[in-house]
Amino acid sequence: MRTLHPCRVEEKGSAFVLVTVFVLCAVAIVGAFFTTSLAKVHHVDLAAARSDALLAAEAGINAVASQVFRTYRSSTTWNRVAAVEELDGRLDEETRLRLPPTRIGSSHFEAEVRRVAGHGTEFADVEIVARGSNRYATRSVTAIIRYLSLPSAVFDHAYFINNFGWLWGSTITVNGSVRSNGDFSLRDATVNGDVYASESEELETVGAITGTVRFLPRDTYNASAPATARPTDPSATPEDLNGNGLLDPGEDRNGNELLDAFAFPDGYAGTCTRHEGEPAVEMPYLGEMEYYRRLALEKGGRISIAGRTIVTGVFGDTPGEGKDLVLVGTPLNPIGIDGPVVIDNDIALKGTITGQGTIYAGRNIHLLGDLVYASPPSWPKPMEDAGPVAGQNAGRDLVGLVARGSVILGNYTQSTWKSATSSYLKPPFTEPYIVDEADRDIGFVSFYDVEGRPRFHADYTAYDGGKKSGLNPTAITGLGDAGAWFQSPGGTTSRRFYESSFPDTFLSGLCSTEVRRVDGVIYTNHLLSGRIGRSAFNGTLVGRD
């Protein structure tokens, strides 16, 4: 018989205890780790659920905000705030804008307009609430969004085209930035400013800029640019000649005891930067005219010549005064404008013009010759003190010419005008585009696309459904060496989109040989065309084609 040594028995027992302890510790550690991991996974899932619910709530805010904007934009201009105010259901709960539960990802949202604070006809503050929820979390978001009309960015440029940009020719000089809502093609033009081209789904463009462009160095620009062109930035040579940041003897040129840098952010920097692939800038659309009629009447806009009032508010709202107007101003008896005025149909004008205001035409604006400010704004170059210059220019002439139809320059009745422009006034050079339903009465709604949107076929040489008068218009007397004529609508001769409603022979007799200078801000929904020769445009050109 073998006898076990007591010590050996104790050693085996100790080993067993140690192993058991190690196993239990390992199990405890694994259990603790597993429990912690489950907690972390739950925490991550909960955080993800909360984030998902928040994103759903934000989507609800955006969905309601988009519908409010559609209501705002589709309403007539003077009624936009009132239309938005109805969406909070104060007067009728049925009008409240409330979206039903909508699924988005693993969550869903509910959203509504809680209240609207309107501020006259200017703007409305809309409070929108949305709740996003899922199985594990619920999040709520409240947003207050202001809906208002701001000045359009299209007027930040000397030339803006809601289409392909095209400046070809070494005789073209633009003192300011140019922009297109499509690609931009350049050929030897001088652009003393930047060039912008935009991505556009409708035009299928990527915002490419091709070709060559010239620009003037700052010193050359200051020496050669016309007085009506903007100053540079800086508008004069900075006084810190040695760059030490101190006002040293001889540097204080204007004696104001300051070290002036003459910064002028809106001025010409002496460079021409290309900006490709820019987002398109929405071009405002002059559709329904009722807002502008109300504005003209409310502001008491006037056009006068030689002390005689030609238009008060709206021309065309009084029986017997007609709807088409011709104005010819002279240096002695200029066309005077004060505030906004509306011409129900066509206006044709030339000569000297003075004042500050805007002419809104229900159809076309025809520039029969030069249109020149009697007191144009001017900018000295270099300019060492912008304050007095800005104050002086504040009282100078500034006229807007806004056409619901087109702006046509020169004598379109001549064969040379037609031969020079006709190929650019119809497809394939032009392409059909979306228009406003309100344009139906002037012929621009040609057809509807598959989405039901009204479109124009883009052939400006086609007949628009209107008629030209066969009778000479009525003269307004007592205007000295200036002139004004009006006519009522009607006639038997078919009218093309680029033509006016006046008889060809009458209008041709008033046209100058060429258009050499146009002062003013020009905006047209549709076509800007003319045969002009070497001309200067002091202002802004904004159009579609």
Coordinates of all heavy atoms in Angstrom, one line a residue, residues 22 34 71 91 93 102 154 157 174 176 194 202 204 217 243 271 285 302 311 320 323 381 401 424 426 456 488 507:
F22 N -9.4 31.7 -9.9 CA -9.1 32.3 -11.2 C -10.3 32.2 -12.2 O -10.6 33.1 -12.9 CB -7.9 31.6 -11.9 CG -6.6 32.0 -11.3 CD1 -5.6 31.1 -11.0 CD2 -6.4 33.4 -10.9 CE1 -4.4 31.5 -10.4 CE2 -5.2 33.7 -10.3 CZ -4.2 32.8 -10.1
F34 N -19.3 42.2 -20.2 CA -20.5 42.0 -21.0 C -21.6 43.0 -20.6 O -22.3 43.6 -21.5 CB -21.0 40.5 -20.9 CG -22.1 40.2 -21.8 CD1 -22.0 40.1 -23.1 CD2 -23.4 40.0 -21.2 CE1 -23.0 39.8 -24.0 CE2 -24.5 39.7 -22.0 CZ -24.3 39.6 -23.4
T71 N -46.6 79.0 -50.7 CA -47.7 79.9 -50.5 C -47.4 81.3 -50.6 O -48.1 82.1 -51.3 CB -48.4 79.6 -49.1 OG1 -48.8 78.3 -49.0 CG2 -49.5 80.6 -48.8
L91 N -58.2 82.3 -37.8 CA -59.5 82.6 -38.3 C -60.3 81.4 -38.6 O -61.5 81.3 -38.4 CB -59.4 83.5 -39.5 CG -58.7 84.9 -39.3 CD1 -58.6 85.7 -40.6 CD2 -59.4 85.7 -38.2
E93 N -59.6 77.1 -38.4 CA -58.7 76.0 -38.1 C -58.4 75.1 -39.3 O -57.4 74.5 -39.5 CB -59.3 75.1 -37.0 CG -58.4 74.0 -36.5 CD -57.1 74.5 -35.9 OE1 -57.1 75.7 -35.4 OE2 -56.1 73.8 -35.9
T102 N -45.4 61.6 -41.0 CA -44.7 61.3 -42.2 C -43.4 60.5 -41.9 O -42.6 61.0 -41.0 CB -44.3 62.6 -43.0 OG1 -45.4 63.3 -43.3 CG2 -43.5 62.2 -44.3
V154 N -29.4 89.8 -58.6 CA -29.1 90.1 -60.0 C -28.6 91.5 -60.3 O -27.9 91.8 -61.2 CB -30.3 89.7 -60.9 CG1 -30.8 88.3 -60.7 CG2 -31.5 90.7 -60.7
H157 N -24.7 93.2 -60.4 CA -23.8 93.0 -61.5 C -24.1 94.1 -62.6 O -25.3 94.5 -62.7 CB -23.9 91.6 -62.1 CG -23.8 90.6 -61.0 ND1 -22.6 90.1 -60.5 CD2 -24.8 89.9 -60.3 CE1 -22.8 89.2 -59.5 NE2 -24.1 89.1 -59.4
V174 N -16.9 96.3 -69.9 CA -17.9 96.3 -68.8 C -17.1 96.7 -67.5 O -16.2 96.1 -67.1 CB -18.5 94.9 -68.6 CG1 -19.5 94.9 -67.5 CG2 -19.1 94.4 -69.9
G176 N -17.7 96.6 -64.2 CA -18.4 95.9 -63.1 C -18.4 94.4 -63.4 O -17.9 93.9 -64.4
D194 N -15.4 90.9 -61.8 CA -15.4 89.4 -61.8 C -16.4 88.8 -62.8 O -17.3 89.4 -63.2 CB -15.6 88.9 -60.4 CG -14.5 89.2 -59.5 OD1 -13.4 89.6 -59.9 OD2 -14.7 89.1 -58.2
E202 N -31.8 73.1 -65.6 CA -32.7 73.4 -66.7 C -31.9 73.6 -68.0 O -32.3 73.2 -69.1 CB -33.5 74.7 -66.4 CG -34.5 75.0 -67.6 CD -35.3 76.3 -67.2 OE1 -35.3 76.8 -66.1 OE2 -36.0 76.7 -68.1
E204 N -28.8 72.6 -68.3 CA -27.8 71.5 -68.3 C -26.4 72.0 -68.5 O -25.6 71.6 -69.3 CB -28.1 70.5 -69.5 CG -29.5 69.9 -69.4 CD -29.8 68.9 -70.6 OE1 -29.0 69.0 -71.6 OE2 -30.8 68.2 -70.5
P217 N -5.4 97.2 -65.2 CA -4.7 97.4 -63.8 C -5.4 98.6 -63.1 O -5.9 99.5 -63.8 CB -3.3 97.7 -64.2 CG -3.1 97.1 -65.6 CD -4.4 97.3 -66.3
G243 N 4.5 101.4 -45.0 CA 3.9 100.2 -44.4 C 4.2 99.9 -43.0 O 4.2 98.8 -42.5
T271 N -8.5 93.4 -60.6 CA -8.4 92.0 -61.1 C -9.7 91.5 -61.7 O -10.7 92.1 -61.4 CB -8.0 91.1 -59.9 OG1 -9.0 91.2 -58.9 CG2 -6.6 91.5 -59.3
Y285 N -39.3 87.6 -61.2 CA -40.2 87.6 -62.4 C -41.3 88.6 -62.3 O -42.1 88.6 -61.3 CB -40.8 86.2 -62.6 CG -41.1 85.9 -64.0 CD1 -40.2 85.3 -64.9 CD2 -42.4 86.3 -64.5 CE1 -40.6 85.1 -66.2 CE2 -42.7 86.0 -65.8 CZ -41.8 85.4 -66.7 OH -42.1 85.2 -68.0
R302 N -44.9 110.0 -60.7 CA -45.3 111.0 -61.8 C -44.2 111.0 -62.9 O -43.0 110.8 -62.6 CB -45.4 112.4 -61.2 CG -46.5 112.5 -60.2 CD -46.4 113.8 -59.4 NE -46.4 115.0 -60.2 CZ -47.5 115.6 -60.6 NH1 -48.7 115.2 -60.1 NH2 -47.5 116.7 -61.3
V311 N -48.1 111.4 -66.7 CA -48.5 110.2 -66.0 C -48.6 110.5 -64.5 O -47.7 111.1 -63.9 CB -47.6 109.0 -66.2 CG1 -48.1 107.8 -65.5 CG2 -47.4 108.7 -67.7
G320 N -59.9 107.0 -72.0 CA -59.5 108.0 -73.0 C -58.0 108.4 -73.0 O -57.6 109.0 -74.0
K323 N -53.2 103.4 -73.6 CA -52.3 102.5 -72.8 C -50.9 102.4 -73.3 O -50.1 101.8 -72.7 CB -53.0 101.1 -72.8 CG -54.3 100.9 -72.1 CD -54.8 99.5 -72.1 CE -56.1 99.4 -71.4 NZ -56.0 99.7 -69.9
K381 N -11.8 109.7 -59.7 CA -10.7 108.6 -59.5 C -9.4 109.3 -59.6 O -9.0 109.9 -60.6 CB -10.9 107.6 -60.7 CG -12.3 107.0 -60.7 CD -12.5 106.1 -61.9 CE -13.9 105.6 -62.0 NZ -14.9 106.7 -62.2
L401 N -35.8 101.0 -65.7 CA -36.7 100.6 -66.9 C -37.0 99.1 -66.8 O -36.1 98.3 -67.0 CB -36.1 101.0 -68.2 CG -35.6 102.4 -68.4 CD1 -34.9 102.6 -69.7 CD2 -36.9 103.4 -68.4
Y424 N -30.7 85.6 -83.9 CA -30.5 85.5 -82.5 C -31.8 85.6 -81.7 O -31.8 85.5 -80.5 CB -29.6 86.6 -82.0 CG -28.2 86.6 -82.6 CD1 -27.9 87.7 -83.5 CD2 -27.3 85.6 -82.4 CE1 -26.6 87.7 -84.1 CE2 -26.1 85.6 -83.1 CZ -25.7 86.7 -83.9 OH -24.5 86.7 -84.5
K426 N -34.6 83.6 -82.3 CA -35.4 82.4 -82.4 C -34.5 81.1 -82.3 O -33.3 81.2 -82.4 CB -36.1 82.4 -83.8 CG -35.1 82.5 -85.0 CD -35.8 82.7 -86.3 CE -34.9 82.9 -87.4 NZ -35.6 83.2 -88.7
F456 N -42.6 79.3 -72.9 CA -42.6 80.1 -74.2 C -41.7 79.4 -75.2 O -40.6 78.9 -74.9 CB -42.0 81.5 -73.8 CG -41.8 82.4 -75.0 CD1 -42.8 82.6 -75.9 CD2 -40.6 83.0 -75.2 CE1 -42.6 83.4 -77.0 CE2 -40.4 83.8 -76.3 CZ -41.4 84.0 -77.2
S488 N -54.7 104.5 -77.9 CA -55.5 103.4 -77.3 C -55.2 102.1 -78.1 O -54.7 102.1 -79.2 CB -57.0 103.8 -77.4 OG -57.3 105.0 -76.7
L507 N -43.2 105.3 -85.6 CA -42.1 105.0 -84.7 C -40.8 105.2 -85.4 O -39.8 105.7 -84.8 CB -42.2 103.6 -84.1 CG -41.7 103.4 -82.7 CD1 -42.5 104.3 -81.7 CD2 -41.8 102.0 -82.2

